[in-house]
């Protein structure tokens, strides 16, 4: 298995633009997590899905952030409009149980 | 109040030495505990689970103290390759029923 695949690996965008991050989980995994990592705040859980259904989105910072999982093999995290404070590394992870999460390589987002 | 707290370090340790660090969690209802390892500019990866009875994996030993609400990681005969950030992870620690809550990590540097 190729593991969790995220795209793009790097994204630089201007403030106000829409940003879409993509994730392909490991086949057969029922859980999908979106995390954000910054030096100041560490790894923060934004939202997670179980069987494509959003279970907990309490970590989503505000309405500018939205996440979807239209099927078992694809998820997106969208930021609209983006702001400089959204600059971070965004990780997607999947697992077959909540216990061991396998992470993608992350998307490094810079909003200027 | 932070859900999961770790000493950020860095811990500078000579090669071959033994090093240990702790992680405290605030939610007494937390169910499962793990240590993840994250190398610089890489994604986190599961290092080991932490069981109530404690567990050992080669040079690594993890312990759980429910009464005092902390977990620990001990590394014996440290290697240069052990240099990384070690993340304490709790399930049921405030990140949702199934979401993993990460500490900010302890940075370990093994020196030759």
């Amino acid at each position: 298995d190729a593991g969790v695949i995220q795209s793009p690996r790097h994204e630089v965008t201007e403030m106000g633009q829409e940003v879409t991050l993509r994730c392909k989980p490991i086949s057969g995994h029922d859980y999908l997590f979106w995390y954000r990592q910054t030096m100041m705040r560490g790894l923060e859980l934004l939202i997670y899905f179980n069987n494509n259904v959003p279970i907990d989105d309490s970590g989503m910072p505000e309405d500018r952030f939205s996440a979807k999982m239209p099927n078992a093999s694809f998820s997106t995290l969208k930021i609209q409009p983006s702001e400089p404070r959204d600059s971070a590394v965004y990780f997607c992870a999947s697992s077959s149980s909540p216990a061991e999460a396998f992470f993608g390589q992350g998307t490094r987002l810079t909003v200027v | 109040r932070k859900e999961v707290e770790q000493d950020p370090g860095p811990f500078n340790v000579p090669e071959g030495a033994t090093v240990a660090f702790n992680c405290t969690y605030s939610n007494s209802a937390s169910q499962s505990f793990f240590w993840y390892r994250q190398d610089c500019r890489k994604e986190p990866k599961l290092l080991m689970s932490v069981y109530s009875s404690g567990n050992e994996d080669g040079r690594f030993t993890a312990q759980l103290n429910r009464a005092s609400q902390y977990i620990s990681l001990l590394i014996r005969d440290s290697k240069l390759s052990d240099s990384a950030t070690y993340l304490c992870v709790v399930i049921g620690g405030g990140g949702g029923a199934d979401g993993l809550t990460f500490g900010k990590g302890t940075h370990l540097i093994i020196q030759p």
Side-chain angles (χ1 to χ4, degrees):
Chain A
D1 199 318
V4 176
I5 300 173
Q6 291 187 245
S7 64
R9 291 290 307 279
H10 302 273
E11 177 81 27
V12 180
T13 190
E14 291 185 347
M15 182 173 63
Q17 296 298 307
E18 178 179 295
V19 175
T20 299
L21 310 181
R22 296 174 176 78
C23 175
K24 180 180 182 341
I26 293 172
S27 177
H29 281 187
D30 297 329
Y31 289 85
L32 185 139
F33 306 88
W34 282 102
Y35 284 90
R36 176 173 69 176
Q37 187 173 38
T38 60
M39 287 293 293
M40 288 295 293
R41 301 172 70 89
L43 261 170
E44 301 174 280
L45 177 64
L46 300 177
I47 185 171
Y48 75 93
F49 297 82
N50 184 17
N51 291 318
N52 313 338
V53 176
I55 302 301
D56 185 353
D57 65 354
S58 59
M60 296 286 261
E62 47 198 273
D63 292 345
R64 297 184 298 107
F65 285 68
S66 62
K68 293 182 180 179
M69 192 166 185
N71 57 62
S73 59
F74 184 65
S75 177
T76 59
L77 178 68
K78 187 176 293 186
I79 309 173
Q80 165 65 22
S82 57
E83 297 182 3
R85 59 193 170 118
D86 301 331
S87 297
V89 180
Y90 290 80
F91 286 105
C92 174
S94 71
S95 68
S96 55
S97 73
E100 180 179 1
F102 292 83
F103 283 75
Q105 292 183 299
T107 295
R108 187 171 297 274
L109 173 66
T110 303
V111 183
V112 297
Chain B
R1 183 183 181 188
K2 296 189 177 74
E3 305 287 349
V4 180
E5 293 201 54
Q6 296 182 252
D7 182 341
F11 284 46
N12 289 283
V13 175
E15 189 177 10
T18 295
V19 60
F21 29 85
N22 292 340
C23 161
T24 60
Y25 59 95
S26 61
N27 188 346
S28 59
S30 298
Q31 301 151 7
S32 305
F33 309 88
F34 307 89
W35 285 102
Y36 274 66
R37 169 189 169 134
Q38 186 173 23
D39 293 304
C40 186
R41 301 181 80 84
K42 299 287 189 180
E43 72 275 20
K45 293 182 179 179
L46 179 66
L47 177 66
M48 60 196 303
S49 303
V50 186
Y51 303 125
S52 297
S53 56
N55 51 303
E56 189 174 309
D57 183 2
R59 298 181 293 109
F60 296 81
T61 300
Q63 298 273 357
L64 167 64
N65 186 317
R66 283 195 183 274
S68 300
Q69 294 183 204
Y70 74 86
I71 67 173
S72 64
L73 180 67
L74 180 98
I75 306 174
R76 289 181 299 276
D77 186 24
S78 54
K79 313 289 185 190
L80 295 177
S81 58
D82 294 333
S83 298
T85 297
Y86 291 84
L87 302 163
C88 168
V89 183
V90 175
I91 291 183
D98 293 323
L100 289 78
T101 302
F102 283 79
K104 289 188 180 181
T106 295
H107 189 38
L108 176 64
I109 301 171
I110 305 300
Q111 298 174 326

